Amino acid sequence: MSQGDVVVVERLSKRFGGFTAVDEVSFSVARGDVFGFLGPNGAGKTTVIRMLLGLLQPTSGCARVLGYELPRQAKIMHGHVGYMSQIFTLYDDLTARENIRFYGQALGLQRGELRRRMEEILTMAGLKGRENELTAQLSGGWRQRLALGCAIIHRPELVFLDEPTAGVDPVSRREFWRLIYELAHRNTTVFVTTHYMDEAEHCQRLGFISQGKLVALGSPEELKATVMHGKVLEIDCDDAERAAQVLRRSVELGEFLAEEVALYGARVHVVAADEDSARPVMAALLAKAGVQVRTIDTIPPSLEDAFISSIRQQNSGGILT
Amino acid sequence: MLQRIWAVMQKQFIQTLRDRRTLMVIIALPVLMLFLMGYAVEIQVDHIRTVVVDHSRDQRSWSFIEALENSGFFDVMYYVESQDEAIQAIDEGQARAAVVIPPDFLGAVERGEAQALVIIDGSDAMTVQSAYNAAITVAESYSVDLLARKLERSQPGAHGAALQPLDGRIRVLYNPDMKAIIFMVPGIVATILQNQATSLTAFSIVKEREAGTIEQLLVTPIRPLELMIGKLVPNVVVAFVNMLTILGLGVFWFKVPFSGNIWLFLWMALLFIVSSLGLGILVSTVSSTQAQAQQLVLMILIPSLVLSGYIFPREMMPKLVRFAGDLIPMTYFLQISRGIITRGVGLRLIWSQVVSLLIYALVVFGLSASSFKQRLE
Amino acid sequence: MGDEMIVAGDLHKAFYSHQRGGRVEAVAGISLRVAKGETYGLIGPDGAGKSTMMRLLNGLYVPDAGRASVGGYDIVRQFQAIHRMSGYMAQRFALYGDLTVAENLCFFGRAYGLSAAECAERVPTLLRFAGLERFPQRLAARLSGGMKKKLALASMLIHNPEVVFLDEPTLGVDPVSRREFWDLLSTLRAERGLTIFICTPYMDEAERCHAVGLIYEGRLIAQGRPQDIRALLPGQMVELHTKDLRAAEIVTGVEGVLEVQTYGRLLRVFVEDAERRIGGLVGAIEASGIEVSGARVAEPGIEEAFVYLIRRQRQEGMHRP
């Protein structure tokens, strides 16, 4: 934790009655970083963001955003951060322009500045010429850019993005991430939650959250190196499904050791502690089952491999910090 | 700070003006209420349909009857031969009041000991109030009038004339003590049944539609009709049980007399519930959210209370307003309910309302036919 | 009918959208064929027409034009027969939160006409299949997102359908449950020869299908086996890590570069003869003073193909009158 940290969270917890939604989560975010929060729905991502925005009172622990203590100084902090949630930000019965104007006014922009920023946001979102259409008529990619625009109209130092690219076409997703990178370039800190693993690859630092706990924290490279307990072997063959079934059964029977056997696209990924001994065993098993194997390569683990590995470890009792 | 308030205000105005449906309700509802109040609400009932039993048929009896008619409160429709016939006319709903004049009215008046009986239909609070007060007022003023004439013709105290030569008796049928609860119970039963059946139905259908889960059910062999019936029967049972509870409390605790046939009443209640269910389904076909359904149900409830004759008498309403009341199932059931509970009549006398309810149910289910489609659109 | 389970010919379906001022074609002429036992994935972003296609095939909408059949039954005239031999998991599937797991399964069983005895017989097998055998008495509302989806899948299988339609079944679910869900699907295919028609916005799931249809704005812009679709990309792919996005413009200008896609900090450059040219590309970027921190030849995925095809589609759309 250094002076330049815009978000500092220490042992933050939230309990609702008997249910612990967030369990002693600690992390920090450095200025200008793109920080990703990964995890499935219901893991506690939204609850953490709400506490960071001062919308929920933590049960224990503390959180500071831009130096302001939460939730006590939340109102002051609101003028300096932006928040975008694709579902909740935009008013469908207002036009694009009306939405931008509302947020601009709400965030304290005055006449000249307001007008200027409105035009800038419309341009950034590519909505010039469409600004008087009802927001309900805009489709996925446009909506997210508009929502982002509404969140940053006041040039905040920190922006929270809650699942900003859900369901959107891949071209728009890429364009959106280009915008995020431009923001980060200008020293805006970006805090993004997602359950797209591939998006996570492009954050400077990541937190994996599952069942309310932070199961891993670090840069993508760090996570891939430290979280995995074995190497990932990729099998390219002619019948991936059969191969997976055969290998899974042999692991169950104890014929060789592997942490995970999974279908990955049209290939099979096997996570094994000892790749050198696993390789020939698998080749033999598959040959016996009549599966034609083209290659068995060791490949660098993806974040999804790392995430799944950490969740499995959490479920079996060992928790990483 | 002011700017922020302004920002939220501006946004809210825009959104309100764009929401046509809610706007319509906001503007239309008060106007509707005002018209209802203006035309439908009438505390006083006049031109009450009256039958006359005149055992004297002399000048005095005619002038008394004329006095009653001139008051504007009593409209004499026809004469009958006996008190029993008069009561039967009220039972049948042909008349709401009867006047019975004993024989030798003329002589009795001269002697200062005349009596007249006014019988009033006690099943309707407003009618009773108006008729009661009107009858007493007319009788008293007629008395005073008689006295005045006597005094003109003779010296004071010469006959030891009774200060009240005409003693007007009032008899209220069915509810002699004019207890409010007896007026209320049939009406409460009707209100509960209609409101529950309509709103529970509308909400349960709209809720499923809002959640989008209907789609999943449409691809099973379950047919839309089966789905409806399965959903609605529990509501029917609930409404029925509620009604029985109210009725039970009314009869056994508040001692409201139940004069008619209970089985007939229960069958009628079932018919009424079905009509109200149909109304609920109709509401659900035009509502996409539960909030909208709620607004619509409210817009049905308020006129139901005012136009059905529950509180205010339908006879006093102008034709157009009365026609609006004809569009509400509660209007018919209220008459059936009062008929059976308070007056104790049988099917013969309420059949036109029964037929009306049947037609109503058919029409409403026909209009909601779109809810029973096998497809999503 | 041969060995085809689903056949669709030039389906059209438009809706009146009063917000967009007119009729909008959700499905604009889609034809496809799915063989028995195959897994077919309809891949595309929100609003592309996937759900409409699903509903057409299930007889929930009547097409404006075109014909289709499932299991030999016509979608317009014989949809009830289709319902009896198929399962459909809608996006907002009907799980009754206030009923238990077992009660939900029984309800669907009875709805499909199974007797109480048949239900009692099949429920335990299905519970085991879905990994829910320890939770038969738990209220459905208390299940995690992943478990709910598995329960929904199980409910749809109780009447032993020959084909199942799944509308975005893994949306928002954690990666472990997603993998488990797909494992269930491959078990179904292997053990029952089930035909699976699935819609998803996740490109990586497309890799697990036998055949894929890329749907965009109501049309299929590509169709075939995953490898055939990937083959539509020009040349081979070189992946470059760089912090500065201007590198994209620079490398686009390099001769022989067929396609450039960005994704966060990754540049994906398509060229012929990638191995040979990789050095030249890096050099071109570094010559402009931008650091390149990693470069390798990599396998493109369906997502890259999709981006390529969409961009081409949009360009063509701009040239149309």
Side-chain angles (χ1 to χ4, degrees), chain B residues 30-49:
Chain B
V31 173
L32 178 70
M33 300 268 312
L34 191 63
F35 272 96
L36 280 180
M37 292 301 146
Y39 287 115
V41 172
E42 187 54 78
I43 310 288
Q44 230 178 26
V45 187
D46 53 28
H47 295 291
I48 300 172
R49 286 170 290 143

Side-chain angles (χ1 to χ4, degrees), chain A residues 97-116:
Chain A
R97 179 178 276 275
E98 285 162 356
N99 262 300
I100 299 175
R101 181 179 33 229
F102 170 68
Y103 280 102
Q105 287 175 323
L107 291 162
L109 296 185
Q110 308 273 2
R111 284 179 232 103
E113 170 88 29
L114 176 63
R115 245 175 298 145
R116 224 176 317 126

